[in-house]
């Protein structure tokens, strides 16, 4: 239970990235508690499918727009969640300049909108700000080990810059900004082909294909079920006073990729074989959140163990792949909007 809550129900809430995997679950939860939701999405990695059930909801509005070009909204808003950014490594690396500009220009645009509306703002940051961490588990005061010129930098450094923008706006008294550092999250509505470990392994196993493990499989991750994450995001947005620092949100249960693959094979025995592929550059070796801050400030901790969440997710993939065998992810594929030009010395 939330101990201290500030905003309560009945707000108008803008969710940027609201048609994405996490964003669409957040829209559901906000509507369920009685808020009005304006979902803004570019459909670059989000999908209309995720919000189609909400289309006729009287408190739901959908705006197709890239936050890189968002200037204003024609109605007042009380809260803004920024979840708009490709989040899986293959997807955020596919157009790295757009990823960086989404984090910086896009977040800047939304912060300006928050300032104009006097709205509270929650930035979806990431465990990737810790890079390939040398401190374990990761606490919020750890400054990280990021390769600022590597292929993950567009996301890691973009998210770090977005955090800096949020805390500058907060210090300046312009925006009530909050920052969640989100660790690996999974659940229904992940794109089957987003390239992430849980979607890859489940889809491969369900399709009877070999399971791909990059490197030795001894690297670790900590996996949080999406409903737990959404509860944490809402708690962070609503807690009073503003925590004035980043808050890790994730499940501290830590698993090697080999352990995860074994769990998937237990659950979906049709997929039998494991094949090894090269480890991507700068792939973090270990990752586990220290969530003491979230526990203390928000009274929040995850409830769903990996075995249970994986079962829900596998069931969802079975149903989804069954419905759309040839095109399991039917999002409208969009090219990113042109990013603002970067003028040297401007
Ligand atoms: N990985 C893997 N096989 C796959 C996809 C990913 O072994 O088919 C590994 C990847 O190299 C990383 C971990 O699984 O060590 C988690 O990868 P993911 O892309 O889900 O997210 P990350 O935590 O790296 O952002």
């Amino acid at each position: 239970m939330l101990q201290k809550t500030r905003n309560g129900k009945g707000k108008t809430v803008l969710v940027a990235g609201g048609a994405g995997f996490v964003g669409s679950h957040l829209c559901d939860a906000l509507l369920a508690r009685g808020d009005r939701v304006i979902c803004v999405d570019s459909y670059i990695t989000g999908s209309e499918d995720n919000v189609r059930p909400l289309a006729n909801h009287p408190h739901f509005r959908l705006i197709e727009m890239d936050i890189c070009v968002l200037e204003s909204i024609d109605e007042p808003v009380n809260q803004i969640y920024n979840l708009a950014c490709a989040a899986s490594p293959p997807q955020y690396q596919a157009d790295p300049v757009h990823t960086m500009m989404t984090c910086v220009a896009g977040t800047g645009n939304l912060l300006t909108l928050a300032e104009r509306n006097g709205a509270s703002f929650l930035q979806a940051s990431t465990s990737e700000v810790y890079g390939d961490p040398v401190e374990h588990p990761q606490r919020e005061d750890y400054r990280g080990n990021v390769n600022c010129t590597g292929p993950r930098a567009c996301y890691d450094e973009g998210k770090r810059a977005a955090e800096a923008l949020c805390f500058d706006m907060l210090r300046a008294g312009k925006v009530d900004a909050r920052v969640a550092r989100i660790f690996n999250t999974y659940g229904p509505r992940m794109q089957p082909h987003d390239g992430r470990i849980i979607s890859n392994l489940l889809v491969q196993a369900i399709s009877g294909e070999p399971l791909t493990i990059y490197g030795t499989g001894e690297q670790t991750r900590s996996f949080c079920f999406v409903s737990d994450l959404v509860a944490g995001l809402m708690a962070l947005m609503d807690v009073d006073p503003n925590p004035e620092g980043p808050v890790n949100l994730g499940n501290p249960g830590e698993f090697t990729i080999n352990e995860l693959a074994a769990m998937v094979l237990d659950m979906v025995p049709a997929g039998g074989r494991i094949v090894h592929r090269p480890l991507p550059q700068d792939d973090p070796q270990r990752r586990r959140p220290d969530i003491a801050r979230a526990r203390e400030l928000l009274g929040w901790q995850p409830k769903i163990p990996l075995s249970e969440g994986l079962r829900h997710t596998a069931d969802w993939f079975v149903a989804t792949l069954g419905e759309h065998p040839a095109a399991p992810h039917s999002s409208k594929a969009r090219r990113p909007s042109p990013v603002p030009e970067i003028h040297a010395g401007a």
Side-chain angles (χ1 to χ4, degrees):
M1 288 295 288
L2 300 182
Q3 285 152 357
K4 296 169 284 178
T5 187
R6 180 180 53 115
N7 283 316
K9 302 173 188 176
K11 303 281 177 189
T12 298
V13 185
L14 187 149
V15 182
F21 156 53
V22 174
S24 62
H25 286 281
L26 177 62
C27 291
D28 289 345
L30 292 167
L31 289 168
R33 81 165 183 193
D35 288 334
R36 168 167 166 71
V37 172
I38 304 172
C39 166
V40 174
D41 207 289
S42 65
Y43 300 131
I44 292 169
T45 55
S47 167
E48 234 177 342
D49 291 350
N50 289 336
V51 287
R52 188 160 293 123
L54 305 179
N56 295 321
H57 193 293
H59 298 148
F60 183 72
R61 178 178 174 194
L62 183 59
I63 300 175
E64 183 178 343
M65 193 186 292
D66 189 323
I67 59 166
C68 289
V69 296
L70 181 146
E71 286 175 359
S72 61
I73 295 285
D74 58 3
E75 63 177 299
V77 294
N78 306 111
Q79 296 184 335
I80 298 175
Y81 287 86
N82 181 18
L83 280 71
C85 190
S88 91
Q91 289 181 334
Y92 71 63
Q93 291 171 33
D95 189 344
V97 174
H98 188 263
T99 298
M100 173 62 85
M101 295 311 288
T102 299
C103 292
V104 181
T107 303
N109 288 342
L110 290 174
L111 282 164
T112 303
L113 188 69
E115 183 183 4
R116 264 196 246 125
N117 280 269
S120 299
F121 185 90
L122 187 143
Q123 170 66 11
S125 189
T126 170
S127 56
E128 292 261 337
V129 300
Y130 301 119
D132 189 3
V134 294
E135 284 188 16
H136 193 78
Q138 291 78 55
R139 286 166 34 131
E140 290 87 349
D141 56 5
Y142 174 50
R143 293 187 183 178
N145 177 33
V146 171
N147 175 358
C148 64
T149 59
R152 295 175 90 104
C154 58
Y155 188 72
D156 301 7
E157 294 292 343
K159 290 286 189 179
R160 287 166 74 104
E163 286 198 11
L165 281 174
C166 289
F167 289 116
D168 282 332
M169 294 292 263
L170 177 67
R171 270 190 295 270
K174 293 180 172 176
V175 179
D176 171 23
R178 291 125 195 269
V179 170
R181 290 187 178 156
I182 300 173
F183 285 64
N184 296 60
T185 305
Y186 70 101
R189 301 187 196 151
M190 293 185 90
Q191 293 176 19
H193 302 290
D194 69 1
R196 284 193 255 208
I197 184 63
I198 289 196
S199 39
N200 270 11
L201 294 185
L202 285 175
V203 171
Q204 288 160 349
I206 291 164
S207 316
E209 290 167 11
L211 274 56
T212 53
I213 290 187
Y214 303 160
T216 62
E218 286 305 297
Q219 68 270 36
T220 67
R221 293 293 186 274
S222 302
F223 300 102
C224 186
F225 191 65
V226 65
S227 59
D228 281 333
L229 174 69
V230 165
L233 293 173
M234 290 168 68
L236 177 55
M237 176 65 105
D238 291 345
V239 74
D240 188 27
N242 184 321
E244 298 188 353
V247 179
N248 287 340
L249 294 179
N251 190 320
E254 183 181 3
F255 297 84
T256 67
I257 298 306
N258 289 329
E259 287 168 340
L260 177 68
M263 287 176 78
V264 168
L265 287 177
D266 262 359
M267 216 166 267
V268 193
R273 207 158 61 85
I274 285 179
V275 290
H276 286 267
R277 300 274 181 258
L279 192 68
Q281 187 188 331
D282 298 333
D283 198 278
Q285 272 307 297
R286 302 181 77 185
R287 188 183 283 160
R288 172 155 68 99
D290 181 320
I291 60 164
R293 215 168 128 73
R295 278 202 180 101
E296 186 191 328
L297 293 173
L298 313 178
W300 173 89
Q301 62 182 7
K303 296 184 184 139
I304 311 280
L306 181 57
S307 53
E308 187 184 332
L310 211 49
R311 166 50 62 203
H312 286 308
T313 313
D315 289 347
W316 184 82
F317 274 127
V318 167
T320 305
L321 295 169
E323 271 173 36
H324 306 284
H329 175 62
S330 57
S331 92
K332 288 201 260 167
R334 297 272 175 219
R335 286 198 59 71
S337 302
V339 295
E341 284 186 33
I342 307 162
H343 298 288

